[in-house]
Coordinates of all heavy atoms in Angstrom, one line a residue:
L1 N 4.6 -7.4 4.8 CA 3.8 -6.3 5.5 C 4.5 -6.2 6.9 O 4.8 -7.2 7.5 CB 2.4 -6.6 5.7 CG 1.6 -6.6 4.4 CD1 0.1 -7.0 4.6 CD2 1.6 -5.2 3.7
R2 N 4.7 -5.0 7.4 CA 5.2 -4.8 8.7 C 4.2 -5.4 9.8 O 4.7 -5.9 10.8 CB 5.3 -3.3 9.0 CG 6.5 -2.6 8.5 CD 6.5 -1.2 8.8 NE 7.8 -0.5 8.6 CZ 8.7 -0.4 9.5 NH1 8.6 -0.9 10.7 NH2 9.8 0.3 9.2
S3 N 3.0 -5.3 9.4 CA 1.9 -5.8 10.3 C 1.8 -7.3 10.4 O 1.2 -7.9 11.2 CB 0.6 -5.1 10.1 OG 0.2 -5.4 8.7
F4 N 2.4 -7.9 9.4 CA 2.3 -9.4 9.3 C 3.6 -9.9 8.6 O 3.6 -10.3 7.4 CB 1.1 -9.8 8.4 CG 0.6 -11.2 8.7 CD1 0.2 -11.7 9.9 CD2 0.8 -12.1 7.7 CE1 -0.2 -13.0 10.1 CE2 0.4 -13.5 7.9 CZ -0.1 -13.9 9.1
P5 N 4.7 -10.0 9.3 CA 6.1 -10.2 8.7 C 6.5 -11.6 8.5 O 7.6 -11.9 8.3 CB 7.0 -9.5 9.7 CG 6.3 -9.7 11.0 CD 4.8 -9.6 10.8
S6 N 5.5 -12.5 8.4 CA 6.0 -13.9 8.1 C 5.5 -14.4 6.7 O 6.0 -15.5 6.4 CB 5.3 -14.8 9.3 OG 3.9 -14.7 9.2
I7 N 4.6 -13.7 6.1 CA 4.2 -14.3 4.7 C 4.5 -13.3 3.7 O 4.1 -12.1 3.7 CB 2.7 -14.6 4.7 CG1 2.4 -15.7 5.7 CG2 2.2 -15.0 3.4 CD1 1.0 -16.1 5.8
P8 N 5.3 -13.7 2.6 CA 5.7 -12.7 1.6 C 4.5 -12.4 0.7 O 3.7 -13.3 0.4 CB 6.8 -13.4 0.8 CG 6.6 -14.9 1.1 CD 5.9 -15.0 2.5
I9 N 4.4 -11.1 0.4 CA 3.3 -10.6 -0.5 C 3.9 -10.3 -1.9 O 3.1 -9.9 -2.7 CB 2.5 -9.5 0.1 CG1 3.4 -8.3 0.3 CG2 1.9 -10.0 1.4 CD1 2.5 -7.0 0.5
G10 N 5.1 -10.3 -2.1 CA 5.8 -10.1 -3.4 C 7.3 -10.1 -3.3 O 7.9 -10.4 -2.3
T11 N 7.8 -9.7 -4.5 CA 9.3 -9.7 -4.6 C 9.7 -8.6 -5.6 O 8.9 -8.3 -6.5 CB 9.8 -11.1 -5.0 OG1 11.2 -11.0 -5.0 CG2 9.3 -11.5 -6.3
V12 N 10.8 -8.0 -5.4 CA 11.4 -7.1 -6.3 C 12.9 -7.6 -6.5 O 13.6 -7.8 -5.5 CB 11.5 -5.6 -5.8 CG1 12.1 -4.7 -6.8 CG2 10.1 -5.2 -5.5
S13 N 13.3 -7.6 -7.8 CA 14.7 -8.0 -8.0 C 15.3 -7.1 -9.1 O 14.6 -6.6 -9.9 CB 14.8 -9.5 -8.5 OG 14.3 -9.6 -9.8
V14 N 16.6 -6.9 -8.9 CA 17.4 -6.2 -10.0 C 18.5 -7.3 -10.4 O 19.2 -7.8 -9.5 CB 18.1 -5.0 -9.6 CG1 18.9 -4.3 -10.7 CG2 17.0 -4.0 -9.1
H15 N 18.4 -7.8 -11.7 CA 19.2 -8.7 -12.1 C 20.1 -8.3 -13.2 O 19.9 -7.3 -13.8 CB 18.5 -10.1 -12.4 CG 17.3 -9.9 -13.2 ND1 16.1 -9.4 -12.7 CD2 17.2 -10.0 -14.5 CE1 15.3 -9.3 -13.7 NE2 15.8 -9.6 -14.7
N16 N 21.0 -9.1 -13.7 CA 22.0 -8.8 -14.9 C 22.6 -7.5 -14.6 O 22.8 -6.7 -15.5 CB 21.2 -8.7 -16.2 CG 20.6 -10.1 -16.5 OD1 21.1 -11.1 -16.2 ND2 19.4 -10.0 -17.2
I17 N 23.0 -7.3 -13.3 CA 23.8 -6.1 -13.0 C 25.1 -6.0 -13.6 O 25.9 -7.0 -13.4 CB 23.8 -5.9 -11.4 CG1 22.4 -5.7 -10.8 CG2 24.7 -4.7 -11.0 CD1 22.4 -5.7 -9.3
R18 N 25.4 -4.9 -14.2 CA 26.8 -4.7 -14.8 C 27.3 -3.4 -14.2 O 26.6 -2.5 -14.0 CB 26.7 -4.7 -16.2 CG 26.2 -6.0 -16.9 CD 26.1 -5.9 -18.4 NE 25.3 -4.8 -18.9 CZ 25.2 -4.6 -20.2 NH1 25.9 -5.2 -21.1 NH2 24.4 -3.5 -20.6
Y19 N 28.6 -3.3 -14.1 CA 29.2 -2.1 -13.6 C 30.2 -1.5 -14.7 O 30.1 -2.0 -15.8 CB 30.1 -2.5 -12.3 CG 29.1 -3.0 -11.2 CD1 29.0 -4.3 -10.9 CD2 28.4 -2.0 -10.4 CE1 28.1 -4.8 -9.9 CE2 27.5 -2.5 -9.5 CZ 27.4 -3.8 -9.2 OH 26.6 -4.3 -8.2
G20 N 30.9 -0.6 -14.2 CA 31.9 0.1 -15.2 C 31.1 1.0 -16.1 O 30.2 1.7 -15.8
D21 N 31.5 0.8 -17.4 CA 30.9 1.8 -18.4 C 29.4 1.4 -18.7 O 28.7 2.3 -19.3 CB 31.7 1.6 -19.7 CG 33.1 2.2 -19.6 OD1 33.3 3.1 -18.7 OD2 34.0 1.8 -20.3
F22 N 28.9 0.3 -18.3 CA 27.5 0.0 -18.5 C 26.7 0.5 -17.2 O 25.8 1.2 -17.4 CB 27.3 -1.5 -18.7 CG 27.7 -2.0 -20.0 CD1 29.0 -2.6 -20.1 CD2 26.9 -1.8 -21.1 CE1 29.4 -3.0 -21.4 CE2 27.3 -2.2 -22.4 CZ 28.6 -2.8 -22.5
S23 N 27.1 0.0 -16.0 CA 26.4 0.5 -14.8 C 24.9 0.4 -14.8 O 24.2 1.4 -14.8 CB 26.8 1.9 -14.5 OG 26.4 2.3 -13.2
D24 N 24.4 -0.7 -15.2 CA 22.9 -1.0 -15.4 C 22.4 -2.3 -14.8 O 23.3 -3.1 -14.4 CB 22.6 -0.8 -16.8 CG 23.2 -1.9 -17.7 OD1 24.0 -2.8 -17.2 OD2 22.9 -2.0 -18.9
G25 N 21.2 -2.4 -14.8 CA 20.6 -3.7 -14.4 C 19.1 -3.7 -14.8 O 18.6 -2.7 -15.3
E26 N 18.4 -4.8 -14.7 CA 17.0 -5.0 -15.1 C 16.2 -5.4 -13.9 O 16.5 -6.2 -13.1 CB 17.0 -6.1 -16.1 CG 15.5 -6.2 -16.7 CD 15.4 -7.4 -17.6 OE1 16.4 -7.7 -18.4 OE2 14.3 -8.1 -17.6
I27 N 15.1 -4.5 -13.7 CA 14.3 -4.7 -12.5 C 13.1 -5.6 -12.9 O 12.6 -5.6 -14.0 CB 13.8 -3.4 -12.0 CG1 13.2 -3.6 -10.6 CG2 12.8 -2.7 -12.9 CD1 13.1 -2.2 -9.8
G28 N 12.6 -6.4 -12.0 CA 11.5 -7.3 -12.1 C 10.7 -7.3 -10.8 O 11.3 -7.1 -9.7
Y29 N 9.4 -7.5 -10.8 CA 8.6 -7.5 -9.6 C 7.4 -8.3 -9.8 O 6.9 -8.5 -10.8 CB 8.3 -6.0 -9.1 CG 7.7 -5.2 -10.3 CD1 6.4 -5.2 -10.6 CD2 8.6 -4.5 -11.1 CE1 5.9 -4.4 -11.7 CE2 8.2 -3.7 -12.2 CZ 6.8 -3.7 -12.5 OH 6.3 -3.0 -13.5
K30 N 6.9 -8.7 -8.6 CA 5.7 -9.5 -8.6 C 5.0 -9.2 -7.2 O 5.6 -9.1 -6.2 CB 5.9 -11.0 -8.6 CG 6.6 -11.6 -9.8 CD 6.9 -13.0 -9.7 CE 7.9 -13.6 -10.6 NZ 9.2 -13.0 -10.4
I31 N 3.7 -9.1 -7.3 CA 2.9 -8.8 -6.1 C 1.7 -9.8 -6.0 O 1.1 -10.1 -7.1 CB 2.3 -7.4 -6.1 CG1 3.4 -6.3 -6.1 CG2 1.4 -7.2 -4.9 CD1 4.3 -6.3 -4.9
D32 N 1.6 -10.4 -4.9 CA 0.4 -11.3 -4.7 C -0.9 -10.7 -5.1 O -1.1 -9.5 -4.8 CB 0.4 -11.7 -3.2 CG -0.7 -12.8 -2.9 OD1 -1.8 -12.6 -3.3 OD2 -0.2 -13.8 -2.3
S33 N -1.7 -11.4 -5.9 CA -3.0 -10.8 -6.4 C -3.8 -10.1 -5.3 O -4.6 -9.2 -5.5 CB -3.7 -11.8 -7.2 OG -4.1 -12.9 -6.5
A34 N -3.8 -10.7 -4.1 CA -4.6 -10.2 -3.0 C -4.1 -8.8 -2.5 O -4.8 -8.2 -1.7 CB -4.7 -11.2 -1.9
F35 N -2.9 -8.4 -2.9 CA -2.3 -7.2 -2.3 C -2.0 -6.2 -3.4 O -1.3 -5.2 -3.1 CB -1.0 -7.5 -1.6 CG -1.3 -8.4 -0.4 CD1 -1.2 -9.7 -0.5 CD2 -1.6 -7.8 0.9 CE1 -1.6 -10.6 0.7 CE2 -2.0 -8.6 2.0 CZ -1.9 -10.0 1.8
R36 N -2.5 -6.3 -4.5 CA -2.4 -5.3 -5.6 C -3.2 -4.0 -5.4 O -4.2 -4.0 -4.8 CB -2.7 -5.9 -7.0 CG -1.7 -7.0 -7.2 CD -1.6 -7.3 -8.7 NE -0.8 -8.5 -8.9 CZ -1.1 -9.6 -9.4 NH1 -2.2 -9.8 -10.0 NH2 -0.2 -10.6 -9.5
R37 N -2.8 -3.0 -6.1 CA -3.4 -1.7 -6.2 C -3.7 -1.1 -4.8 O -4.6 -0.4 -4.5 CB -4.8 -1.8 -6.9 CG -4.6 -2.1 -8.4 CD -5.9 -2.3 -9.1 NE -5.6 -2.6 -10.5 CZ -5.2 -3.8 -11.0 NH1 -5.1 -4.8 -10.2 NH2 -5.1 -4.0 -12.3
Q38 N -2.6 -1.3 -3.9 CA -2.7 -0.8 -2.5 C -1.4 0.0 -2.3 O -1.1 0.5 -1.2 CB -2.8 -1.9 -1.5 CG -4.1 -2.7 -1.6 CD -4.2 -3.8 -0.6 OE1 -3.9 -3.6 0.5 NE2 -4.5 -5.0 -1.1
G39 N -0.6 0.2 -3.3 CA 0.7 1.0 -3.2 C 1.9 0.3 -2.8 O 3.0 0.9 -2.6
F40 N 1.7 -1.1 -2.5 CA 2.8 -1.8 -2.0 C 4.0 -2.0 -3.0 O 5.2 -1.9 -2.6 CB 2.4 -3.2 -1.4 CG 1.5 -3.0 -0.3 CD1 0.3 -3.8 -0.2 CD2 1.7 -2.2 0.8 CE1 -0.6 -3.8 0.8 CE2 0.8 -2.0 1.8 CZ -0.3 -2.9 1.8
A41 N 3.6 -2.2 -4.3 CA 4.6 -2.4 -5.3 C 5.4 -1.1 -5.5 O 6.6 -1.1 -5.5 CB 4.0 -2.8 -6.6
R42 N 4.7 0.0 -5.5 CA 5.3 1.3 -5.6 C 6.3 1.6 -4.5 O 7.5 2.0 -4.7 CB 4.3 2.5 -5.7 CG 5.0 3.8 -5.5 CD 3.9 4.8 -5.4 NE 3.1 5.1 -6.6 CZ 3.7 5.7 -7.7 NH1 5.0 6.1 -7.6 NH2 3.1 5.8 -8.8
E43 N 5.9 1.3 -3.3 CA 6.7 1.5 -2.1 C 8.0 0.6 -2.1 O 9.1 1.1 -1.8 CB 5.9 1.2 -0.8 CG 6.5 1.7 0.4 CD 5.4 1.5 1.5 OE1 4.2 1.9 1.4 OE2 5.9 1.2 2.7
A44 N 7.8 -0.6 -2.5 CA 8.9 -1.5 -2.5 C 9.9 -1.2 -3.6 O 11.1 -1.2 -3.5 CB 8.4 -3.0 -2.6

């Protein structure tokens, strides 16, 4: 959170990234249960 920048509330990753003719990756995300349904996952 901008208002509290020292404790992570979640993560977003794109892994298995391939380039060239594939040009793809797989997204994964997690949000701390205390911060769900507040739009933070969508924003990130």
Side-chain angles (χ1 to χ4, degrees):
L1 293 174
R2 279 177 168 270
S3 59
F4 200 68
S6 61
I7 297 180
I9 65 163
T11 182
V12 178
S13 69
V14 178
H15 48 279
N16 300 328
I17 296 175
R18 302 182 297 176
Y19 297 98
D21 291 335
F22 289 97
S23 189
D24 64 359
E26 182 182 327
I27 197 165
Y29 48 90
K30 299 174 196 66
I31 299 292
D32 188 303
S33 58
F35 295 92
R36 294 202 185 124
R37 293 177 180 80
Q38 299 177 49
F40 299 134
R42 166 187 291 287
E43 194 170 319

